[in-house]
Structure formats: C-alpha cells, structure tokens
Amino acid sequence: MNKINLHEVSEYVGQNIGIFHQKRIHSLDGLKLPHVLKRKNPYLFRAKHVLTAEQIVKSLVDAHISSNEETLFGDWLEGLALFINERAYGGWKSGITGIDLEFDADGVRNIVAIKSGPNWSNASQIAKMRLDFKTAQKTLRTSNSGLRIVAVNGCCYGRDSRPDKGDYFKYCGQRFWEFISGDSELYTAIVEPLGYQAKERNEEFVRSYAQMINRFTKEFMNSFCKDSGEIAWDELVRFNSSAAQRKNKAKKGTP
C-alpha cells in the first residue's frame, strides 16, 4: 500500500470537478416540459392547492434536478474513488458486470460495487448485487481457483452500523474511504477541494436554471392555463393520464 498524497487528490479534484458542473448544466439544456409533466402526479398539485404555473414548474424541475444531481455526483465520486485506490493499492476499474473496482490487498482480491449513499437499494436491487458478486467470484476463480475474494458494497457517504452482511461487506462514509485508501481521515480531507470554483460554476448553473423556469412557465401557461390565468386542471390531467392520448400517439409512432 502507498500513502495517499493529498496534494495529488486535490489536483485531481480541481481538474475534474468541472465535468460534474458541465453535466449539471447539460442536463437542463436537454430537459423538456412534456417529459417532466408526465412523471409527476397532477392530483397531488391540486390537493396541495397549487395556484400558479411557476409553482408547478419549479416543483417539477427541482425534483428532476435533485434526482439527477445525486446520480451525476455519485458517478463523479466513483471516479474519485478509483483514482485514490489506484494510487494507494494499484486498483483498477473492473470489467465484470456489476463490479466497479477491483484491487488486491493482504493476499485478498477485493471486488467493490460503489454506490453514492447507504439507502440506495430495495430488496430486488440487493438480490441483484448479491448475484453480481457471486458471478464475479465465479469468473475470477475460473483462472485462479485458490484466489481469496471479498465482496464489498462501498457507499461514499453515510453510516452502516452492521457492515458484515454475511456474503459481503457494506462500508459507508469514513469506513469506505479508509478501506480504499488506508487513510482514516481521507473522508474529511476531500471536502475542501470539492469547493474549487464552486461559486463561479454555480452562478452559471443558476442562470441556466432561471432561464429554464421562465421558459417552462411560459410554455405551461400557453398549454394549461385559461385566459383568466387559472390553471386548467382537466387539460393537465388529460395530458398526464389520458388513455386516448396515449393511443393516438402510439398510432402516430410517437413516444
């Protein structure tokens, strides 16, 4: 194991954090109002006594952004984890389905499925991960039957008070970053460089966000508001849920 050079980690973050911010903005550029309208429950807006087009639009866009950013940043953190582990243990990105990272330490081959946080899964997703671990172990032992293999679900933040899950381990937050780096304090050390140019990059995102809210609000009002300015709830519900509309689209070959 090699000791982690925090200056190298800071340099990596500074050089690559822009990718995350660029993807945040790009995700807004590709967003369309009809798509997000179809994903949300129009009855909920009515039940909450939502009265303005902007309230609906902001709720739709903010929900999309929250979900999308979690995924984008999770992917980015996976790249950081791979970089750190390669420096510490010579690890590599796995080519096996469902496995993100492989590295050898103390005579053991560690196979790691990296997730953003600890609450990422339901029962079927856990079953799928367990199956991926078993398949990976079988694949690796095909060429080396004596290989000792440990399966790990690594989570970039959070806690899990019972890491031993029987057939795999779940390391979260501090435990995960220490596991891949050998440094028990790395989980706090990486916070500072993540703020590199955050203010400047966020201002660019906020401008794109404001433009989208204005554009979507205008589009929503044109399609789902009466001349009086009142929301036409029946039209909104039809757009979201009408079986006839879906049949018409299917005939035209549109999504």
Side-chain angles (χ1 to χ4, degrees):
M1 185 193 80
N2 299 314
K3 185 176 180 180
I4 288 296
N5 184 325
L6 293 179
H7 179 68
E8 283 189 353
V9 174
S10 294
E11 281 191 340
Y12 174 90
V13 172
Q15 292 168 5
N16 290 276
I17 192 63
I19 296 172
F20 165 67
H21 292 290
Q22 288 166 6
K23 288 184 176 180
R24 288 175 76 208
I25 295 173
H26 181 69
S27 73
L28 292 184
D29 293 339
L31 197 60
K32 304 297 181 185
L33 178 63
H35 294 165
V36 290
L37 277 175
K38 291 174 183 175
R39 297 176 193 158
K40 298 296 288 185
N41 184 347
Y43 304 106
L44 177 60
F45 291 124
R46 184 59 165 157
K48 291 171 64 177
H49 196 54
V50 174
L51 297 177
T52 69
E54 185 178 1
Q55 283 178 288
I56 292 179
V57 167
K58 277 182 61 63
S59 177
L60 294 169
V61 173
D62 290 350
H64 167 83
I65 289 173
S66 177
S67 174
N68 191 61
E69 285 184 344
E70 186 76 15
T71 299
L72 289 176
F73 197 62
D75 292 343
W76 190 89
L77 280 176
E78 178 186 325
L80 176 62
L82 290 168
F83 171 82
I84 288 171
N85 184 258
E86 190 277 330
R87 292 294 191 274
Y89 289 101
W92 60 94
K93 183 169 180 59
S94 179
I96 303 174
T97 300
I99 308 301
D100 300 304
L101 168 67
E102 292 183 52
F103 70 98
D104 296 326
D106 301 323
V108 172
R109 171 68 52 82
N110 295 285
I111 55 174
V112 188
I114 301 175
K115 306 297 180 183
S116 181
N119 303 314
W120 62 273
S121 59
N122 55 36
S124 62
Q125 290 169 322
I126 289 291
K128 174 65 167 55
M129 183 179 67
R130 280 193 156 108
L131 180 60
D132 287 340
F133 282 149
K134 289 179 181 178
T135 301
Q137 290 167 338
K138 182 178 179 180
T139 299
L140 291 170
R141 286 183 178 132
T142 299
S143 57
N144 186 351
S145 60
L147 187 64
R148 293 177 57 204
I149 303 171
V150 172
V152 174
N153 171 205
C155 302
C156 296
Y157 69 87
R159 301 177 181 177
D160 190 301
S161 59
R162 191 175 61 85
D164 190 344
K165 306 301 181 184
D167 51 347
Y168 72 96
F169 291 90
K170 184 175 181 179
Y171 297 143
C172 300
Q174 181 182 14
R175 280 178 172 154
F176 169 66
W177 293 104
E178 181 176 6
F179 168 66
I180 64 168
S181 69
D183 185 341
S184 63
E185 294 302 314
L186 182 68
Y187 78 113
T188 58
I190 61 176
V191 169
E192 184 62 29
L194 287 174
Y196 177 70
Q197 290 189 344
K199 181 176 182 292
E200 295 86 344
R201 296 179 186 278
N202 199 57
E203 287 174 351
E204 183 180 359
F205 177 82
V206 168
R207 284 194 296 272
S208 295
Y209 171 83
Q211 291 168 6
M212 167 165 286
I213 294 297
N214 291 337
R215 188 170 68 251
F216 278 11
T217 299
K218 180 180 179 182
E219 185 178 344
F220 184 95
M221 292 183 68
N222 288 339
S223 300
F224 303 107
C225 286
K226 302 175 183 179
D227 291 341
S228 64
E230 180 185 358
I231 294 171
W233 290 103
D234 55 341
E235 292 299 323
L236 180 58
V237 172
R238 284 193 184 97
F239 176 81
N240 176 275
S241 303
S242 170
Q245 184 187 62
R246 294 179 185 276
K247 287 180 182 177
N248 290 336
K249 286 191 173 185
K251 288 178 181 178
K252 295 177 182 178
T254 57

